[in-house]
Each structure stands twice: as C-alpha cells, then as structure tokens.
Amino acid sequence: MINLNWKTARTAARIIALSFPISLHAHEDQQIVAANATARAAEVVDCQLADETSALCHQIVVNYKPENLEIGPFCPESLDDLGGIWHLTGENEGLYRLDRSYFEMMDELGYRFYDEEGQIFISDIAVAQPTVDHSCINVSLDENVTMTMLVPVEPQIADRPTELGTVSKVGIAHDGVPIFSDAPSIQHTGHMPALDTCGGHVDPGGWYHWHAASTDIDTVFEIENVDANCALSQDPTAKFGTAFDGFAIYGSQDPDGSIPNNLDVCNGHVGMVQDGHEEVYHYHASTEFPNLPPCLTGVVAVNNFSTTAEAGIGTMRAGVEGSTRNEPPRDGNGGTQNGQLPPGFDEAAQKLGVNAQDLLTALHDAGAPNQLDISQAADALGVTENALRAALPKRP
C-alpha cells in the first residue's frame, strides 16, 4: 500500500470512479441513516453542489434527537459531581472529564466556573445569557425541532480539500444525529458548552448533535487517559456516519482491526470497509479528540443543513416575532454582543439564505477581517464563493 497524500488520493479516486463507479459510494446500500432515525421517509431531490453543478441529493429529515438516545451528563452541579467532557485548548491543552480537579485547574488558569460553596455556574443560553464571566453551558431541548440535511447521491472529489474549522458542518451519523467539528473554545467566548461522554451536546436551537465519532470515542479516552466511557456500543471498525460530501466515516480501525497507515490529509483512503464487497473511498476516525476528519475530500451541497429551530446553526427564524430562544453569546471578534449586528449583515444573510449569526461566525473562523479565507467561509456556510463575495457589505 502506498501513502496517499491529497493529490494522489484525488487521482486514485477519480481513476476508480472511471472504472468502477460504485467505488466512490461511501454507502453501498445507499442507506445514510437507520430506517428508524428519520422524522419522515428519506427521498432523493434535485440539489446544487458548492462547485455550482447540479446533482441529486438524499434529503434526510430528523427530529431534535433520536427517540431512544440517552444524552448527558453535561455540566456537573457541583465540584463533587461528575459531568461530561471538554477538550481544552491553549495552556494545559487536552481532553478532560468535568470533575473537581478540572475546575480547580481552570481556576488556576483564571477561569472560575464555581462559587464559594463549590456550585458550578450553569447557564441555559436558550433562556438567558450568562450573568457571570465563565459559565458551563447546558442547553434545554426543543422537542418540536426538526433538521433537514442534503447528502450527494454520487460523491464528487473536489479540486482541493475543504478544511473544517470550529463548528463546521461535517455530516450525519447513522443514528440520525448531525455531526459538527470542534465546539467553540473557552478562550473564544469565555464559556464552556460542555459535552457528554459520547461527545455531543444541545445546540442553542434545542437539538442534539455530535462533536466526535461517538461509536469509537472510548478509544480516545483510553489513549488520552480520560476516566470516561460512552454508553453507546463501541466498534472501531464500524461505520459511524456519512460526511456531507457523501463519503462514509468509519471508526479508527480497518475491518481486520489494524490501524490504517495510508490515510490522506482528511483521514481518508480507498480501502475495504466493514460489510463491504469492494474498496471504496472513506474516512476514518482518529484516536485523538476531536476524532473526526479535519477536512472533507468531496463537494458538499449548497444549504445542506437547515432547521425549524428558533436559534442556533441552520435556523432561518432567529429574531422572528414569538421566538422564545436566544442566540449564543459571542465575543467582539466572533460576532455580536447584546444582539447588535454590523451594518449590512442582516441583508447579506438574507441574500445567502443563512442566519446572520452563522455568517459572522463563519467569517471570524475564516480569519476575517484581515486574513479572510473566503473559500473556508463559503464552505462553512454551504454557499459558493461568488455568492458570498457578492453578498458581503463593502468596507467603508
């Protein structure tokens, strides 16, 4: 086996596509999610890809969370309780269980999350913004919310990989739970949107999503020496989900239990998969948190994620009359403070068909205002580069 970098992986996949078209399918049986994971029957619809070509996409509608999925714990009530997990960036970077030792370490770093009695500051940002400098975020669910996602039927290799930044759209798990890249850092917002021990939490809009490959997260806990485990069945060789470019995401091991050594920059390769009959291009989970692909090899659909939620990622209803949920707190660089938007951003968001908060966050994560990577921002929003350039307000 040769070591595949981005260019050779792309070339290999295209050669395979010419000879064996099904080999580009990340899902040989075309079943993106389990039959009982959808709010209504999945269907194939016309869609537009980010490279401005027309295509067919699987349209999948799911509820705020799977019916039988037990979630939490997230924030512990006190220093004496056990909560979920958190991936700390910056000083003392690493994956931690949310317990007394973690919070006391954070206090030494200048982030105090508890009061004099050892009670954790917990905020439900869907109800009200935090009133303290550093709060553990634990959002309430909205059982009325549904999410609609688009996944290309025929995956197409992109001209270059799409890097996944903070809270980028990754894909959909086999259980119907949306997958997003790493959550915002404490340094970014001052607060901590705690994850449970399967690597998920609730969006401000009230729906649950993954920030990790949950069916192989115990491998990460073992390697990073974290005293935690996920209640879901763990299988490092099984399919976890499908990325928004149509290629499948598997655990950290090949079907024979070995660790693949020929992965490209997106943690993908062409090879055999569990229950597969031929070699296909697919991603693997890593053994470090977040254990998701760092980039996407293929082309995603435009507007591939939307929700009926009143706030958060993918909503079109933020700020509408009768809305009962708040947007998340953002710092002066990452977006808004006290609900104030820069001039022209409401209009730009409407032109693009995205939420204004998501637009600002995507631009910030892509280096705005001084070193903006317009391609990264466009990919994060699921729009074309030309559309984003045309919609953005001009600088004074």
Side-chain angles (χ1 to χ4, degrees):
M1 300 291 287
I2 61 172
N3 184 40
L4 292 179
N5 60 24
W6 165 249
K7 290 183 178 179
T8 57
R10 182 180 63 188
T11 301
R14 282 177 171 165
I15 292 173
I16 290 173
L18 290 174
S19 304
F20 308 100
I22 196 172
S23 295
L24 269 183
H25 286 253
H27 35 84
E28 292 180 343
D29 60 2
Q30 293 293 293
Q31 187 179 37
I32 304 296
V33 298
N36 61 350
T38 58
R40 61 173 185 258
E43 57 183 323
V44 174
V45 299
D46 293 325
C47 60
Q48 183 181 18
L49 302 184
D51 62 2
E52 301 186 4
T53 59
S54 298
L56 294 175
C57 285
H58 297 283
Q59 180 174 272
I60 302 162
V61 182
V62 299
N63 291 315
Y64 70 104
K65 80 171 185 65
E67 183 177 356
N68 296 321
L69 179 64
E70 297 292 333
I71 65 174
F74 303 104
C75 303
E77 292 187 5
S78 74
L79 293 178
D80 294 325
D81 298 319
L82 272 180
I85 59 172
W86 185 250
H87 179 230
L88 181 66
T89 57
E91 189 175 356
N92 295 349
E93 180 172 1
L95 184 64
Y96 293 89
R97 188 70 191 268
L98 299 184
D99 56 14
R100 175 182 287 272
S101 62
Y102 168 79
F103 286 107
E104 289 180 344
M105 177 196 71
M106 292 302 295
D107 188 38
E108 294 176 358
L109 294 177
Y111 298 92
R112 191 175 186 96
F113 283 89
Y114 55 92
D115 63 18
E116 295 300 326
E117 285 73 41
Q119 298 299 303
I120 304 298
F121 299 132
I122 300 176
S123 297
D124 181 353
I125 57 175
V127 176
Q129 303 290 10
T131 58
V132 292
D133 290 336
H134 309 297
S135 179
C136 187
I137 305 299
N138 189 0
V139 182
S140 55
L141 291 165
D142 184 345
E143 298 183 5
N144 297 314
V145 168
T146 61
M147 292 85 75
T148 300
M149 289 166 276
L150 297 175
V151 177
V153 172
E154 297 286 345
Q156 302 295 322
I157 298 293
D159 290 333
R160 61 190 180 94
T162 301
E163 183 179 356
L164 297 173
T166 303
V167 201
S168 292
K169 296 175 287 186
V170 178
I172 179 172
H174 188 64
D175 60 6
V177 175
I179 310 166
F180 288 81
S181 57
D182 212 0
S185 68
I186 293 173
Q187 293 88 342
H188 182 68
T189 67
H191 306 288
M192 180 180 64
L195 304 174
D196 62 23
T197 53
C198 290
H201 65 184
V202 181
D203 181 81
W207 45 272
Y208 185 80
H209 57 281
W210 300 125
H211 282 286
S214 59
T215 52
D216 192 20
I217 196 171
D218 282 3
T219 297
V220 179
F221 294 151
E222 181 178 357
I223 290 175
E224 299 201 23
N225 195 29
V226 175
D227 184 16
N229 66 277
C230 173
L232 296 177
S233 176
Q234 300 289 293
D235 186 347
T237 68
K239 177 183 173 182
F240 167 59
T242 303
F244 276 125
D245 61 5
F247 294 115
I249 305 170
Y250 284 79
S252 57
Q253 298 177 8
D254 277 331
D256 61 2
S258 63
I259 302 294
N261 60 5
N262 62 338
L263 300 177
D264 59 32
V265 294
C266 296
N267 239 44
H269 71 161
V270 176
M272 296 298 295
V273 296
Q274 189 184 81
D275 301 325
H277 304 291
E278 60 181 335
E279 293 190 339
V280 295
Y281 183 85
H282 60 280
Y283 302 106
H284 278 281
S286 69
T287 56
E288 298 178 350
F289 195 91
N291 60 340
L292 294 169
C295 53
L296 294 185
T297 303
V299 185
V300 301
V302 175
N303 296 326
N304 56 9
F305 182 88
S306 60
T307 85
T308 61
E310 296 177 350
I313 297 170
T315 184
M316 296 294 292
R317 300 179 59 199
V320 300
E321 185 177 355
S323 176
T324 59
R325 299 180 79 92
N326 292 320
E327 287 291 333
R330 306 186 190 278
D331 67 10
N333 293 322
T336 66
Q337 195 69 291
N338 300 322
Q340 297 300 312
L341 292 171
F345 273 76
D346 269 330
E347 294 81 357
Q350 290 175 5
K351 290 177 183 177
L352 294 168
V354 301
N355 176 259
Q357 300 282 2
D358 293 341
L359 173 59
L360 287 167
T361 300
L363 293 173
H364 174 262
D365 290 342
N370 297 321
Q371 295 180 324
L372 173 61
D373 184 338
I374 195 75
S375 175
Q376 178 183 329
D379 288 334
L381 293 165
V383 302
T384 66
E385 293 182 37
N386 289 340
L388 180 55
R389 286 194 180 94
L392 287 178
K394 308 303 180 192
R395 289 190 183 185

